[in-house]
Amino acid sequence: GAVVSQHPSWVICKSGTSVKIECRSLDFQATTMFWYRQFPKQSLMLMATSNEGSKATYEQGVEKDKFLINHASLTLSTLTVTSAHPEDSSFYICSARAVLDSYEQYFGPGTRLTVT
Amino acid sequence: AQSVTQLDSHVSVSEGTPVLLRCNYSSSYSPSLFWYVQHPNKGLQLLLKYTSAATLVKGINGFEAEFKKSETSFHLTKPSAHMSDAAEYFCVVNLQAGTALIFGKGTTLSVSS
């Protein structure tokens, strides 16, 4: 099956610093990747949709200048949390849509971010 | 408007008894529907999916779900619960090919011995 990886799986950073999270499709090409955020004991909320070679589309209420998304290739998308604050602490999960499979998306294992 | 509703936030069963996790959706079209499971501090695992083929879908670990258009439901069932089934379950809908998935709020399944 299709595999999506995320790196790092777990990161702790100090308030005010920036953190970059990578999402890679390992064995397929993904024209579209999605970024979700999950707070403890809550569901996944879509943050943004990332299309290769174009600007990401952000959901209402998500600050695009704070959550920078880059989708430079068909196998890599990055999410950078800039000037992180404790309220940004969350579980960030990406998913990738394979080019030839319109409906199914493959999820990464998630990245747990803790801002101190 | 809520596109997917999980009717129970928490379900508790005894090991060996049946499991029923309820999900209703709202859509003007025929959506694709999924059930995912998430164990504590883990990523998501796809249990099964419905994409307009057979209405009774069999998934992994003995789970299955039936798409009922007349009831706009996609309930998840398992004949006999196992302790390892204890986890968070998400009913997910994809309203249009290529768009993001929409997650229900989740149902926590507890299994007691």
Side-chain angles (χ1 to χ4, degrees):
Chain A
V3 179
V4 176
S5 70
Q6 283 185 239
H7 177 79
S9 56
W10 174 67
V11 58
I12 299 176
C13 71
K14 293 186 176 181
S15 187
T17 61
S18 295
V19 174
K20 179 184 285 188
I21 302 170
E22 292 185 350
C23 177
R24 292 182 185 272
S25 56
L26 298 185
D27 50 3
F28 67 99
Q29 292 184 326
T31 55
T32 306
M33 289 184 173
F34 304 91
W35 287 96
Y36 297 83
R37 179 169 53 186
Q38 184 181 30
F39 290 109
K41 299 189 183 301
Q42 293 189 25
S43 188
L44 279 72
M45 297 298 294
L46 179 67
M47 298 176 66
T49 301
S50 167
N51 291 298
E52 186 265 338
S54 62
K55 291 184 178 180
T57 302
Y58 291 82
E59 294 300 299
Q60 189 174 10
V62 178
E63 301 173 57
K64 62 180 181 181
D65 295 330
K66 180 171 183 61
F67 298 99
L68 301 179
I69 292 173
N70 183 278
H71 193 163
S73 76
L74 285 172
T75 59
L76 173 64
S77 176
T78 61
L79 168 67
T80 301
V81 183
T82 63
S83 186
H85 292 283
E87 57 265 32
D88 298 324
S89 299
S90 187
F91 196 46
Y92 292 87
I93 303 173
C94 74
S95 71
R97 179 176 70 90
V99 174
L100 297 180
D101 185 340
S102 300
Y103 289 96
E104 190 161 354
Q105 297 173 22
Y106 304 95
F107 284 86
T111 297
R112 184 161 302 283
L113 170 64
T114 301
V115 184
T116 60
Chain B
Q2 184 74 24
S3 297
V4 56
T5 303
Q6 292 184 243
L7 300 171
D8 307 293
S9 59
H10 197 167
V11 171
S12 296
V13 300
S14 298
E15 190 175 23
T17 64
V19 175
L20 170 63
L21 305 183
R22 299 181 295 166
C23 174
N24 285 97
Y25 69 93
S26 58
S27 173
S28 300
Y29 307 97
S30 293
S32 292
L33 294 158
F34 308 80
W35 276 97
Y36 284 88
V37 61
Q38 185 180 36
H39 288 90
N41 298 310
K42 298 290 186 181
L44 294 164
Q45 181 181 21
L46 178 66
L47 283 177
L48 48 81
K49 62 180 178 180
Y50 166 77
T51 55
S52 75
T55 57
L56 182 61
V57 182
K58 294 186 182 298
I60 61 172
N61 300 336
F63 285 95
E64 63 180 39
E66 186 172 7
F67 174 72
K68 292 186 176 180
K69 188 173 182 178
S70 60
E71 298 177 9
T72 60
S73 69
F74 190 58
H75 302 334
L76 181 71
T77 60
K78 183 173 180 176
S80 176
H82 192 273
M83 295 294 286
S84 61
D85 294 328
E88 190 77 13
Y89 290 79
F90 294 101
C91 182
V92 181
V93 64
N94 191 195
L95 298 178
Q96 185 176 350
T99 61
L101 301 179
I102 301 172
F103 282 74
K105 292 186 180 298
T107 298
T108 302
L109 176 64
S110 299
V111 182
S112 59
S113 57

